[in-house]
Structure formats: C-alpha cells, structure tokens
Coordinates of all heavy atoms in Angstrom, one line a residue:
M235 N -21.3 -17.7 39.8 CA -20.9 -17.0 38.6 C -20.0 -17.9 37.8 O -19.9 -17.8 36.6 CB -20.2 -15.7 39.0 CG -19.7 -14.9 37.8 SD -20.9 -13.6 37.4 CE -19.9 -12.8 36.2
F236 N -19.3 -18.8 38.4 CA -18.3 -19.7 37.7 C -19.0 -20.6 36.7 O -18.6 -20.7 35.6 CB -17.5 -20.5 38.7 CG -16.5 -21.4 38.1 CD1 -15.4 -20.9 37.5 CD2 -16.7 -22.7 38.0 CE1 -14.4 -21.7 36.9 CE2 -15.8 -23.6 37.4 CZ -14.7 -23.0 36.9
P237 N -20.2 -21.2 37.0 CA -20.9 -22.0 36.0 C -21.3 -21.2 34.8 O -21.3 -21.7 33.7 CB -22.0 -22.6 36.8 CG -21.7 -22.5 38.2 CD -20.8 -21.4 38.4
V238 N -21.7 -19.9 35.1 CA -22.2 -19.1 34.0 C -21.0 -18.8 33.0 O -21.1 -18.8 31.8 CB -22.8 -17.8 34.5 CG1 -23.1 -16.8 33.4 CG2 -24.0 -18.1 35.3
A239 N -19.8 -18.5 33.6 CA -18.7 -18.2 32.8 C -18.2 -19.4 32.0 O -17.9 -19.3 30.8 CB -17.5 -17.7 33.6
R240 N -18.3 -20.6 32.6 CA -17.9 -21.8 31.9 C -18.9 -22.1 30.8 O -18.5 -22.5 29.7 CB -17.9 -23.0 32.9 CG -17.3 -24.2 32.3 CD -17.0 -25.3 33.3 NE -17.8 -25.2 34.5 CZ -18.0 -26.2 35.4 NH1 -17.5 -27.3 35.2 NH2 -18.7 -26.0 36.5
A241 N -20.2 -21.9 31.0 CA -21.2 -22.1 30.0 C -21.0 -21.2 28.8 O -21.0 -21.6 27.6 CB -22.6 -22.0 30.5
A242 N -20.7 -19.9 29.1 CA -20.4 -19.0 28.0 C -19.2 -19.3 27.2 O -19.1 -19.2 26.0 CB -20.3 -17.6 28.6
Q243 N -18.1 -19.8 27.9 CA -16.9 -20.2 27.3 C -17.1 -21.4 26.4 O -16.6 -21.5 25.2 CB -15.8 -20.5 28.3 CG -14.5 -20.8 27.7 CD -13.4 -21.2 28.7 OE1 -13.8 -21.4 29.9 NE2 -12.2 -21.3 28.3
S244 N -17.9 -22.3 26.8 CA -18.2 -23.5 26.0 C -19.0 -23.2 24.8 O -18.8 -23.7 23.7 CB -18.9 -24.6 26.8 OG -20.2 -24.2 27.1
L245 N -19.9 -22.2 24.9 CA -20.7 -21.8 23.8 C -19.8 -21.1 22.7 O -20.0 -21.4 21.5 CB -21.8 -20.8 24.2 CG -23.1 -21.4 24.8 CD1 -24.0 -20.3 25.3 CD2 -23.8 -22.3 23.8
V246 N -18.9 -20.3 23.2 CA -18.0 -19.6 22.3 C -17.1 -20.6 21.6 O -16.9 -20.6 20.4 CB -17.1 -18.5 23.0 CG1 -16.0 -18.0 22.1 CG2 -18.0 -17.4 23.5
A247 N -16.6 -21.6 22.4 CA -15.7 -22.6 21.8 C -16.5 -23.5 20.8 O -15.9 -23.8 19.7 CB -15.1 -23.4 22.9
R248 N -17.7 -23.8 21.1 CA -18.5 -24.6 20.2 C -18.8 -23.9 18.9 O -18.8 -24.4 17.8 CB -19.8 -25.0 20.9 CG -20.5 -26.2 20.2 CD -21.7 -26.7 21.0 NE -21.5 -26.7 22.4 CZ -22.4 -26.4 23.3 NH1 -23.6 -26.1 22.9 NH2 -22.2 -26.5 24.6
G249 N -19.0 -22.6 19.0 CA -19.3 -21.8 17.8 C -18.0 -21.7 16.9 O -18.1 -21.8 15.7
V250 N -16.9 -21.6 17.5 CA -15.6 -21.5 16.8 C -15.4 -22.9 16.1 O -15.0 -22.9 14.9 CB -14.4 -21.2 17.7 CG1 -13.1 -21.4 17.0 CG2 -14.6 -19.7 18.2
Q251 N -15.7 -24.0 16.8 CA -15.5 -25.3 16.2 C -16.4 -25.5 15.0 O -16.1 -26.0 14.0 CB -15.8 -26.4 17.3 CG -14.7 -26.5 18.3 CD -15.0 -27.5 19.4 OE1 -16.2 -27.8 19.5 NE2 -14.1 -27.9 20.2
H252 N -17.7 -25.1 15.2 CA -18.7 -25.2 14.1 C -18.2 -24.4 12.8 O -18.3 -24.8 11.7 CB -20.1 -24.7 14.5 CG -20.8 -25.7 15.4 ND1 -21.2 -27.0 14.9 CD2 -21.1 -25.7 16.7 CE1 -21.7 -27.6 15.9 NE2 -21.7 -26.9 17.0
T253 N -17.7 -23.2 13.1 CA -17.2 -22.4 12.0 C -16.1 -23.0 11.3 O -16.0 -23.0 10.1 CB -16.9 -21.0 12.5 OG1 -18.0 -20.4 13.2 CG2 -16.4 -20.1 11.4
A254 N -15.1 -23.5 12.1 CA -13.9 -24.2 11.5 C -14.3 -25.4 10.7 O -13.8 -25.6 9.6 CB -13.0 -24.6 12.6
V255 N -15.3 -26.2 11.2 CA -15.7 -27.4 10.4 C -16.4 -27.0 9.2 O -16.2 -27.6 8.1 CB -16.6 -28.3 11.3 CG1 -17.3 -29.3 10.5 CG2 -15.8 -28.9 12.4
R256 N -17.3 -26.0 9.2 CA -18.0 -25.5 8.1 C -17.1 -25.0 7.0 O -17.2 -25.3 5.8 CB -19.0 -24.4 8.5 CG -20.1 -24.1 7.5 CD -21.1 -23.1 8.0 NE -21.2 -23.1 9.4 CZ -21.1 -22.0 10.2 NH1 -20.9 -20.8 9.6 NH2 -21.2 -22.0 11.5
Q257 N -16.0 -24.3 7.4 CA -15.1 -23.7 6.4 C -14.2 -24.8 5.8 O -13.7 -24.7 4.7 CB -14.3 -22.6 7.0 CG -15.1 -21.4 7.2 CD -14.3 -20.2 7.9 OE1 -13.1 -20.4 8.3 NE2 -14.9 -19.1 8.0
A258 N -13.9 -25.8 6.6 CA -13.0 -26.9 6.2 C -13.7 -27.7 5.1 O -13.0 -28.3 4.2 CB -12.6 -27.8 7.4
H259 N -15.0 -27.9 5.1 CA -15.7 -28.7 4.1 C -16.1 -27.9 2.9 O -16.5 -28.5 1.9 CB -17.0 -29.3 4.8 CG -16.7 -30.4 5.8 ND1 -16.1 -31.5 5.4 CD2 -16.8 -30.4 7.1 CE1 -15.9 -32.3 6.5 NE2 -16.3 -31.6 7.5
R260 N -15.9 -26.6 2.9 CA -16.3 -25.8 1.8 C -15.2 -25.8 0.8 O -14.0 -25.7 1.1 CB -16.6 -24.4 2.2 CG -17.2 -23.5 1.2 CD -17.6 -22.2 1.7 NE -16.3 -21.4 1.9 CZ -16.3 -20.2 2.5 NH1 -17.3 -19.7 3.0 NH2 -15.1 -19.6 2.6
K261 N -15.5 -25.9 -0.5 CA -14.5 -25.9 -1.5 C -14.0 -24.4 -1.7 O -14.7 -23.5 -1.8 CB -15.1 -26.4 -2.8 CG -14.1 -26.6 -3.9 CD -14.7 -27.3 -5.1 CE -13.7 -27.6 -6.1 NZ -14.2 -28.3 -7.3
H262 N -12.6 -24.3 -1.7 CA -12.0 -23.0 -1.8 C -12.0 -22.6 -3.3 O -11.4 -23.2 -4.2 CB -10.6 -23.0 -1.3 CG -9.9 -21.7 -1.4 ND1 -10.2 -20.6 -0.7 CD2 -8.9 -21.3 -2.2 CE1 -9.4 -19.6 -1.1 NE2 -8.6 -20.0 -2.0
E263 N -12.6 -21.4 -3.6 CA -12.6 -20.9 -4.9 C -11.6 -19.7 -4.9 O -11.7 -18.8 -4.0 CB -14.0 -20.4 -5.3 CG -15.0 -21.5 -5.4 CD -16.4 -20.9 -5.6 OE1 -16.6 -19.7 -5.7 OE2 -17.4 -21.7 -5.7
P264 N -10.7 -19.6 -5.9 CA -9.8 -18.5 -5.9 C -10.5 -17.2 -6.1 O -11.3 -17.1 -7.0 CB -8.8 -18.9 -7.0 CG -9.5 -19.9 -7.8 CD -10.5 -20.6 -6.9
S265 N -10.1 -16.2 -5.3 CA -10.7 -14.9 -5.5 C -9.9 -14.1 -6.5 O -8.9 -14.6 -7.1 CB -10.6 -14.1 -4.1 OG -9.3 -13.9 -3.8
F266 N -10.3 -12.9 -6.8 CA -9.5 -12.0 -7.7 C -8.1 -11.9 -7.3 O -7.2 -11.9 -8.1 CB -10.2 -10.6 -7.8 CG -9.5 -9.7 -8.7 CD1 -9.7 -9.7 -10.0 CD2 -8.6 -8.8 -8.1 CE1 -9.1 -8.8 -10.9 CE2 -7.9 -7.9 -8.9 CZ -8.2 -7.9 -10.3
H267 N -7.9 -11.7 -6.0 CA -6.5 -11.5 -5.5 C -5.7 -12.7 -5.7 O -4.5 -12.7 -5.9 CB -6.5 -11.0 -4.1 CG -7.2 -9.7 -3.9 ND1 -6.7 -8.5 -4.4 CD2 -8.4 -9.4 -3.4 CE1 -7.5 -7.5 -4.1 NE2 -8.6 -8.0 -3.5
D268 N -6.3 -13.9 -5.5 CA -5.5 -15.1 -5.7 C -5.1 -15.3 -7.1 O -4.1 -15.8 -7.4 CB -6.4 -16.3 -5.2 CG -6.7 -16.4 -3.8 OD1 -5.8 -15.8 -3.0 OD2 -7.7 -16.9 -3.4
K269 N -6.0 -14.9 -8.1 CA -5.8 -15.1 -9.5 C -4.8 -14.1 -10.0 O -3.9 -14.4 -10.7 CB -7.1 -15.0 -10.3 CG -8.0 -16.2 -10.1 CD -9.2 -15.9 -11.0 CE -10.2 -17.0 -10.8 NZ -11.4 -16.8 -11.6
Y270 N -5.1 -12.8 -9.7 CA -4.4 -11.7 -10.4 C -3.5 -10.8 -9.5 O -3.0 -9.8 -10.0 CB -5.4 -10.8 -11.1 CG -6.3 -11.6 -12.0 CD1 -7.7 -11.7 -11.7 CD2 -5.8 -12.2 -13.2 CE1 -8.5 -12.5 -12.5 CE2 -6.7 -12.9 -14.0 CZ -8.0 -13.0 -13.7 OH -8.9 -13.7 -14.5
G271 N -3.5 -11.1 -8.2 CA -2.8 -10.2 -7.3 C -1.4 -9.9 -7.6 O -0.9 -8.8 -7.6
T272 N -0.6 -11.0 -8.0 CA 0.8 -10.8 -8.3 C 1.0 -10.0 -9.6 O 1.9 -9.1 -9.6 CB 1.5 -12.2 -8.4 OG1 1.3 -12.9 -7.2 CG2 3.0 -12.0 -8.6
M273 N 0.2 -10.3 -10.6 CA 0.3 -9.6 -11.8 C 0.0 -8.1 -11.7 O 0.6 -7.2 -12.3 CB -0.6 -10.2 -12.9 CG -0.1 -11.6 -13.3 SD 1.6 -11.7 -13.8 CE 1.6 -10.7 -15.2
V274 N -1.1 -7.8 -10.9 CA -1.4 -6.4 -10.7 C -0.3 -5.7 -9.9 O 0.0 -4.5 -10.3 CB -2.8 -6.3 -9.9 CG1 -3.0 -4.9 -9.4 CG2 -3.9 -6.8 -10.7
L275 N 0.3 -6.3 -8.9 CA 1.4 -5.7 -8.2 C 2.6 -5.5 -9.1 O 3.2 -4.4 -9.1 CB 1.8 -6.7 -7.0 CG 3.0 -6.2 -6.2 CD1 2.6 -4.9 -5.4 CD2 3.4 -7.3 -5.3
L276 N 3.0 -6.5 -9.9 CA 4.1 -6.3 -10.8 C 3.8 -5.2 -11.9 O 4.7 -4.4 -12.3 CB 4.4 -7.6 -11.5 CG 5.0 -8.7 -10.6 CD1 5.2 -10.0 -11.3 CD2 6.3 -8.2 -10.0
G277 N 2.5 -5.2 -12.4 CA 2.2 -4.2 -13.4 C 2.3 -2.8 -12.8 O 2.7 -1.8 -13.4
G278 N 1.8 -2.6 -11.6 CA 1.9 -1.3 -10.9 C 3.3 -0.9 -10.6 O 3.7 0.3 -10.8
A279 N 4.2 -1.8 -10.3 CA 5.6 -1.5 -10.0 C 6.3 -1.1 -11.3 O 7.1 -0.2 -11.4 CB 6.3 -2.7 -9.4
A280 N 5.9 -1.8 -12.4 CA 6.5 -1.5 -13.7 C 6.0 -0.1 -14.2 O 6.8 0.7 -14.7 CB 6.1 -2.5 -14.8
M281 N 4.8 0.2 -14.0 CA 4.2 1.5 -14.4 C 4.9 2.6 -13.6 O 5.3 3.7 -14.1 CB 2.7 1.5 -14.2 CG 2.0 2.7 -14.8 SD 2.2 2.7 -16.5 CE 1.3 4.2 -16.9
F282 N 5.0 2.4 -12.3 CA 5.6 3.4 -11.4 C 7.1 3.6 -11.8 O 7.5 4.8 -11.9 CB 5.6 2.8 -9.9 CG 6.3 3.7 -8.9 CD1 5.6 4.7 -8.3 CD2 7.6 3.5 -8.6 CE1 6.2 5.5 -7.3 CE2 8.2 4.2 -7.6 CZ 7.6 5.3 -7.0
S283 N 7.8 2.6 -12.1 CA 9.2 2.7 -12.5 C 9.3 3.4 -13.8 O 10.2 4.3 -14.0 CB 9.9 1.3 -12.6 OG 9.8 0.7 -11.4
T284 N 8.4 3.1 -14.8 CA 8.5 3.8 -16.1 C 8.2 5.3 -16.0 O 8.9 6.1 -16.6 CB 7.4 3.1 -17.0 OG1 7.7 1.7 -17.1 CG2 7.5 3.7 -18.4
V285 N 7.2 5.6 -15.3 CA 6.8 7.0 -15.1 C 8.0 7.8 -14.4 O 8.4 8.9 -14.9 CB 5.5 7.2 -14.4 CG1 5.3 8.7 -14.0 CG2 4.4 6.7 -15.2
W286 N 8.5 7.3 -13.3 CA 9.5 8.0 -12.6 C 10.8 8.0 -13.4 O 11.6 8.9 -13.3 CB 9.7 7.5 -11.2 CG 8.7 8.1 -10.3 CD1 7.6 7.5 -9.8 CD2 8.7 9.5 -9.8 NE1 6.9 8.4 -9.0 CE2 7.5 9.6 -9.0 CE3 9.5 10.6 -10.1 CZ2 7.2 10.8 -8.4 CZ3 9.1 11.8 -9.5 CH2 8.0 11.9 -8.7
G287 N 11.1 6.9 -14.1 CA 12.3 6.9 -15.0 C 12.2 8.0 -16.0 O 13.2 8.7 -16.3
Y288 N 11.0 8.2 -16.6 CA 10.9 9.3 -17.6 C 11.0 10.6 -16.9 O 11.8 11.5 -17.5 CB 9.5 9.2 -18.2 CG 9.2 10.4 -19.1 CD1 9.7 10.5 -20.4 CD2 8.4 11.4 -18.7 CE1 9.5 11.5 -21.2 CE2 8.2 12.5 -19.5 CZ 8.7 12.6 -20.8 OH 8.5 13.7 -21.5
V289 N 10.4 10.8 -15.8 CA 10.5 12.1 -15.1 C 11.9 12.5 -14.8 O 12.4 13.6 -15.0 CB 9.6 12.1 -13.9 CG1 9.9 13.3 -13.0 CG2 8.1 12.1 -14.3
L290 N 12.7 11.5 -14.2 CA 14.0 11.8 -13.8 C 15.0 11.9 -14.9 O 16.1 12.5 -14.7 CB 14.5 10.7 -12.8 CG 13.7 10.6 -11.5 CD1 14.1 9.4 -10.7 CD2 13.8 11.8 -10.7
T291 N 14.8 11.4 -16.1 CA 15.7 11.4 -17.2 C 15.4 12.4 -18.2 O 16.3 13.0 -18.9 CB 15.9 10.1 -17.8 OG1 14.6 9.6 -18.3 CG2 16.4 9.0 -16.9
Q292 N 14.1 12.7 -18.5 CA 13.8 13.6 -19.6 C 13.5 15.0 -19.3 O 13.6 15.9 -20.1 CB 12.6 13.0 -20.4 CG 12.8 11.6 -20.9 CD 13.9 11.6 -21.9 OE1 14.0 12.5 -22.8 NE2 14.9 10.7 -21.8
L293 N 13.0 15.3 -18.1 CA 12.7 16.6 -17.7 C 14.0 17.4 -17.3 O 14.9 16.8 -16.7 CB 11.6 16.7 -16.6 CG 10.3 16.1 -17.0 CD1 9.4 16.1 -15.8 CD2 9.7 16.8 -18.2
K294 N 14.0 18.6 -17.6 CA 15.2 19.4 -17.2 C 15.1 19.9 -15.7 O 14.5 20.9 -15.4 CB 15.3 20.6 -18.1 CG 15.3 20.3 -19.6 CD 16.5 19.5 -19.9 CE 16.5 19.3 -21.4 NZ 17.3 18.1 -21.8
I295 N 15.6 19.0 -14.9 CA 15.5 19.3 -13.5 C 16.9 19.7 -13.0 O 17.9 19.1 -13.2 CB 15.0 18.1 -12.7 CG1 13.6 17.7 -13.1 CG2 15.0 18.4 -11.2 CD1 13.1 16.5 -12.5
E296 N 17.0 20.8 -12.3 CA 18.2 21.3 -11.6 C 18.3 20.5 -10.3 O 17.5 20.7 -9.4 CB 18.2 22.8 -11.4 CG 18.1 23.6 -12.6 CD 19.5 23.8 -13.3 OE1 20.5 23.6 -12.5 OE2 19.5 24.0 -14.5
W297 N 19.4 19.7 -10.2 CA 19.5 18.9 -9.0 C 20.3 19.5 -7.9 O 20.3 19.0 -6.8 CB 20.1 17.5 -9.3 CG 19.1 16.7 -10.1 CD1 19.2 16.4 -11.4 CD2 17.9 16.1 -9.6 NE1 18.1 15.6 -11.8 CE2 17.3 15.4 -10.7 CE3 17.3 16.0 -8.4 CZ2 16.1 14.7 -10.6 CZ3 16.1 15.3 -8.3 CH2 15.5 14.7 -9.4
G298 N 21.0 20.6 -8.2 CA 21.7 21.3 -7.1 C 20.7 22.0 -6.2 O 20.0 22.9 -6.7
F299 N 20.7 21.8 -4.9 CA 19.7 22.4 -4.1 C 20.2 23.7 -3.5 O 19.5 24.5 -3.0 CB 19.3 21.5 -2.9 CG 18.6 20.2 -3.4 CD1 19.2 19.0 -3.2 CD2 17.4 20.3 -4.1 CE1 18.5 17.8 -3.6 CE2 16.8 19.2 -4.6 CZ 17.3 17.9 -4.3
S300 N 21.5 24.0 -3.6 CA 22.1 25.2 -3.0 C 22.1 26.3 -4.0 O 22.6 26.1 -5.1 CB 23.5 24.9 -2.5 OG 24.1 26.1 -2.0
P301 N 21.6 27.4 -3.6 CA 21.6 28.6 -4.6 C 22.9 29.4 -4.6 O 23.0 30.3 -5.3 CB 20.4 29.4 -4.1 CG 20.4 29.2 -2.6 CD 20.8 27.7 -2.4
I302 N 23.9 29.0 -3.8 CA 25.1 29.8 -3.7 C 25.8 29.7 -5.0 O 26.1 28.6 -5.6 CB 26.0 29.2 -2.6 CG1 25.3 29.5 -1.2 CG2 27.3 29.9 -2.6 CD1 26.0 28.9 -0.1
G303 N 26.2 30.8 -5.6 CA 26.9 30.9 -6.8 C 26.0 30.9 -8.0 O 26.4 31.2 -9.1
R304 N 24.7 30.7 -7.9 CA 23.8 30.7 -9.0 C 22.9 32.0 -9.0 O 22.4 32.4 -10.0 CB 22.9 29.5 -9.0 CG 23.6 28.3 -9.7 CD 22.6 27.2 -9.9 NE 22.5 26.5 -8.6 CZ 21.4 25.9 -8.2 NH1 20.3 25.9 -8.9 NH2 21.4 25.2 -7.1
I305 N 22.7 32.5 -7.8 CA 21.8 33.7 -7.7 C 22.7 34.9 -7.3 O 23.5 34.8 -6.3 CB 20.8 33.5 -6.6 CG1 19.9 32.3 -7.0 CG2 20.0 34.7 -6.4 CD1 18.9 31.9 -5.9
T306 N 22.6 35.9 -8.1 CA 23.3 37.1 -7.8 C 22.3 38.2 -7.4 O 21.3 38.4 -8.0 CB 24.2 37.6 -9.0 OG1 23.3 37.8 -10.1 CG2 25.3 36.7 -9.3
P307 N 22.6 38.9 -6.3 CA 21.6 39.9 -5.8 C 21.5 41.1 -6.8 O 22.5 41.5 -7.4 CB 22.1 40.3 -4.5 CG 23.5 39.9 -4.4 CD 23.7 38.8 -5.4
R308 N 20.3 41.6 -7.0 CA 20.2 42.8 -7.8 C 20.3 44.1 -6.9 O 20.2 44.0 -5.7 CB 18.8 42.8 -8.4 CG 18.6 41.8 -9.5 CD 17.3 42.0 -10.2 NE 16.2 41.4 -9.4 CZ 14.9 41.5 -9.6 NH1 14.5 42.2 -10.6 NH2 14.1 40.9 -8.8
E309 N 20.6 45.1 -7.6 CA 20.8 46.4 -6.9 C 19.4 46.8 -6.4 O 18.4 46.6 -7.0 CB 21.3 47.5 -7.8 CG 22.8 47.2 -8.2 CD 23.7 47.3 -7.0 OE1 23.5 48.1 -6.1 OE2 24.7 46.5 -7.0
W310 N 19.4 47.4 -5.2 CA 18.2 47.9 -4.6 C 17.7 49.2 -5.3 O 18.5 50.1 -5.5 CB 18.4 48.2 -3.1 CG 17.2 48.6 -2.4 CD1 17.0 49.9 -2.0 CD2 16.1 47.8 -2.0 NE1 15.7 50.0 -1.4 CE2 15.2 48.7 -1.4 CE3 15.8 46.5 -2.1 CZ2 14.0 48.3 -0.9 CZ3 14.6 46.1 -1.6 CH2 13.7 47.0 -1.0
R311 N 16.5 49.2 -5.6 CA 15.9 50.4 -6.3 C 15.0 51.1 -5.2 O 14.2 50.5 -4.5 CB 15.0 50.0 -7.4 CG 15.7 49.5 -8.6 CD 14.8 49.2 -9.8 NE 14.1 48.0 -9.5 CZ 13.1 47.5 -10.3 NH1 12.7 48.3 -11.3 NH2 12.5 46.4 -10.0
E312 N 15.2 52.4 -5.2 CA 14.4 53.2 -4.3 C 13.3 54.0 -5.0 O 13.4 54.3 -6.1 CB 15.3 54.1 -3.5 CG 16.2 53.3 -2.6 CD 16.7 54.1 -1.5 OE1 16.0 55.0 -1.0 OE2 17.9 53.8 -1.0

C-alpha cells in the first residue's frame, strides 16, 4: 500500500506544481474588485453615514427608554 500512497502523493504534488507554473506565466488582469473595490466600500460607508446621520438628527425620536414619569395611569372604567 505504501507505493500506491507515494504515487498518489506525487500525482497530487505534480498537479499543484503544474497549476502554480500555469498561473505564474499568465498575465494578471485586474478584476472589478481590484479596480473599484475601495471606491465601492468608501461610497457605501458614506451613504450609510449620511442616511443614519439624517435619521438620528432630523426625526423626532424620544431617546429616554424609561417610561417612569411620562406615563400616568388612567382611571379604571367598569
């Protein structure tokens, strides 16, 4: 069984070597993410900040989470 395992290992190693050599000789063309990835990320962060900045400053939001002192109980009606 040992010679079979060694042969399989050499086949795998040879395949990896061939793949590495093939990729090393290929010219690298920049993908969409290489060209525009940073700009898309910064644009999304700016949009996120703008929308939440508007929401937090312009809408009338009550930030006190405790209802004590703001809610008075009504009389019970029977």
Side-chain angles (χ1 to χ4, degrees):
M235 179 99 171
F236 182 73
V238 173
R240 188 169 23 160
Q243 183 183 10
S244 70
L245 280 175
V246 169
R248 199 173 319 144
V250 170
Q251 287 174 346
H252 284 293
T253 303
V255 167
R256 198 174 333 127
Q257 288 179 353
H259 289 294
R260 191 175 73 188
K261 189 173 184 178
H262 177 70
E263 298 172 359
S265 67
F266 176 84
H267 298 289
D268 294 333
K269 290 181 183 178
Y270 308 110
T272 305
M273 292 307 295
V274 170
L275 179 67
L276 292 176
M281 189 68 179
F282 177 87
S283 300
T284 302
V285 169
W286 278 107
Y288 174 79
V289 167
L290 295 176
T291 58
Q292 298 299 315
L293 296 179
K294 305 297 182 203
I295 299 175
E296 295 279 337
W297 289 107
F299 296 120
S300 175
I302 296 174
R304 277 190 277 147
I305 298 175
T306 57
R308 289 188 279 171
E309 290 296 323
W310 180 256
R311 290 186 283 172
E312 295 204 29

